[in-house]
Amino acid sequence: VCAAALPGWPPTLRCASCGRTIPTDDGILLFTDEPDLNLDGARAYIGYESVADGYAFRRHPPGLQERMSLAYGAAIAAIVGPHSILLDVGCGPAGYDVEAAKRGLRVVAGDISLNMLKILSARLHEAPAASLIPCRLNAYALPLLGQSVDAAAALELLHFVGGPEHVLGEVKRVLKPGSRFITNGPSDHEAPDDDLNAKVNLYYREALIQRGVQLSRPPGWTSAQIRDNLPKFFPNCRTVETESLVFRFCATPQWFLSRLASRYTMFQIGIDQAAHEEALREVRRRMVEQYGPNFEQIEQQYCFTERLVVCTE
Ligand SMILES: C[S@@+](CC[C@H](N)C(=O)[O-])C[C@H]1O[C@@H](n2cnc3c(N)ncnc32)[C@H](O)[C@@H]1O
Ligand SMILES: [Zn+2]
């Protein structure tokens, strides 16, 4: 594999260093073809592919995902400004990139997972033609020329990569001088005192541990490490708080259980299917014992206060 570099806009599909034509699949530019790169240790990385559907479609209750994508996309577009080229590293299904592209940004949406990118490419028609370029790429070796993008974003990525400092080094290399880097900041989650979602998650984890399942932990930085380390790469960081990033919603244990069943989260990567199903049965049994047979219908109110961190050198 050459160090294929994406030149110009719209990209020409020819590597800017060697002239090789960059292969594509379903409108996705393929800068890496490793089926299952093991970048971050066996239990940490392998299998983003297997959680892509759950992550894209079951992570938040119906309607909330769309509201969040829209709010994030609008907030990013407002920070970056129209016509700018934004690189989004670890874009996932990237609903917010679609919204940012609708607002005039030109987005290079990069992820290592082809399944995540296929979910994004099914939505490309919603954005203006050639405004959003999905790329299968490795954040540790970005296929972009130095000083080639006007802004970069990495949302929910620094927790999930084993080498966040390498990713930030690469991001700095491809950013034009003085450009912004956007990541997500600390968020607050308000839940009722007797939070049934927290119980469902706790019982699921406990049941898995009882069955000898080793739960993987994200290999990257904790929120505290992000707060402490980010200024070493970008000395000027400010946290953006707006009412548009406050999300109130109602949900039931029925919904939270169906979400867990769909394997929506990175920590469910690699869990054996039989143990997963037994754990779900165990959760139901304990919830019925505590809350009665209709526990699944109990509706509760939640609120996420999300924040963005905007950094410059
Ligand atoms: C928690 S998801 C975040 C997705 C999206 N940014 C969001 O906020 O919803 C993390 C994403 O990072 C991707 N990822 C992990 N390691 C990567 C790497 N080395 N290079 C590129 N993408 C990576 C995963 O495939 C996954 O889609
Ligand atoms: Zn090349």
Side-chain angles (χ1 to χ4, degrees):
V1 177
C2 77
L6 192 62
W9 199 279
T12 60
L13 293 193
R14 282 173 73 80
C15 171
S17 356
C18 70
R20 181 179 77 103
T21 300
I22 299 156
T24 62
D25 175 5
D26 227 353
I28 301 162
L29 277 59
L30 303 173
F31 290 102
T32 177
D33 54 5
E34 288 290 339
D36 233 345
L37 282 172
N38 187 4
L39 296 167
D40 293 323
R43 300 202 52 78
Y45 167 72
I46 285 189
Y48 284 115
E49 301 294 47
S50 69
V51 293
D53 272 321
Y55 187 81
F57 302 115
R58 303 308 302 252
R59 187 165 164 233
H60 298 300
L64 179 59
Q65 184 65 65
E66 291 73 15
R67 273 161 63 199
M68 292 183 80
S69 294
L70 205 141
Y72 266 106
I76 291 170
I79 293 163
V80 172
H83 313 301
S84 306
I85 297 180
L86 169 76
L87 165 70
D88 182 20
V89 196
C91 63
Y96 56 89
D97 283 338
V98 175
E99 296 299 334
K102 284 186 200 168
R103 287 162 179 76
L105 266 63
R106 297 175 288 174
V107 186
V108 177
D111 201 284
I112 195 81
S113 161
L114 195 57
N115 286 343
M116 296 272 191
L117 292 165
K118 285 193 168 170
I119 293 165
L120 165 60
S121 76
R123 291 189 59 185
L124 279 185
H125 63 275
E126 294 176 36
S131 63
L132 181 52
I133 313 292
C135 298
R136 187 173 193 202
L137 56 74
N138 178 3
Y140 296 134
L142 294 173
L144 293 165
L145 299 174
Q147 307 196 347
S148 61
V149 300
D150 302 309
L155 303 186
E156 310 256 8
L157 181 70
L158 301 175
H159 294 85
F160 293 101
V161 287
E165 63 284 356
H166 299 309
V167 174
L168 290 177
E170 275 294 89
V171 165
K172 281 181 71 160
R173 180 181 65 78
V174 303
L175 274 178
K176 290 180 189 164
S179 305
R180 292 185 181 84
F181 170 64
I182 304 170
T183 187
N184 48 317
S187 56
D188 293 330
H189 290 186
E190 269 172 56
D193 287 340
D194 190 17
D195 178 353
L196 298 187
N197 174 37
K199 266 199 182 145
V200 163
N201 285 331
L202 174 72
Y203 294 166
Y204 176 74
R205 279 170 184 266
E206 285 180 352
L208 288 173
I209 291 166
Q210 243 175 26
R211 282 160 183 78
V213 176
Q214 270 198 327
L215 297 181
S216 53
R217 297 184 58 238
W221 284 339
T222 61
S223 298
Q225 284 174 315
I226 293 177
R227 187 198 57 217
D228 294 343
N229 289 327
L230 209 49
K232 296 178 193 161
F233 294 84
F234 295 98
N236 305 304
C237 294
R238 67 183 169 94
T239 303
V240 174
E241 266 197 64
T242 76
E243 188 54 35
S244 68
L245 293 179
V246 178
F247 304 97
R248 295 183 179 79
F249 63 97
C250 290
T252 60
Q254 180 176 50
W255 187 81
F256 289 120
L257 272 165
S258 72
R259 170 170 83 168
L260 268 183
S262 79
R263 290 177 181 267
Y264 78 107
T265 165
M266 306 292 154
F267 100 86
Q268 290 179 298
I269 289 173
I271 295 174
D272 169 73
Q273 183 63 19
H276 168 70
E277 284 170 19
E278 277 177 39
L280 287 171
R281 276 195 292 276
E282 176 72 2
V283 174
R284 283 208 173 77
R285 194 191 58 70
R286 289 181 72 179
M287 292 297 283
V288 167
E289 200 176 272
Q290 256 183 294
Y291 298 97
N294 296 326
F295 83 91
E296 292 199 33
Q297 310 312 326
I298 304 170
E299 197 169 66
Q300 293 190 310
Q301 275 195 16
Y302 297 83
C303 179
F304 297 161
T305 301
E306 305 281 324
R307 298 180 181 88
L308 290 172
V309 177
V310 182
C311 307
T312 52
E313 282 189 80

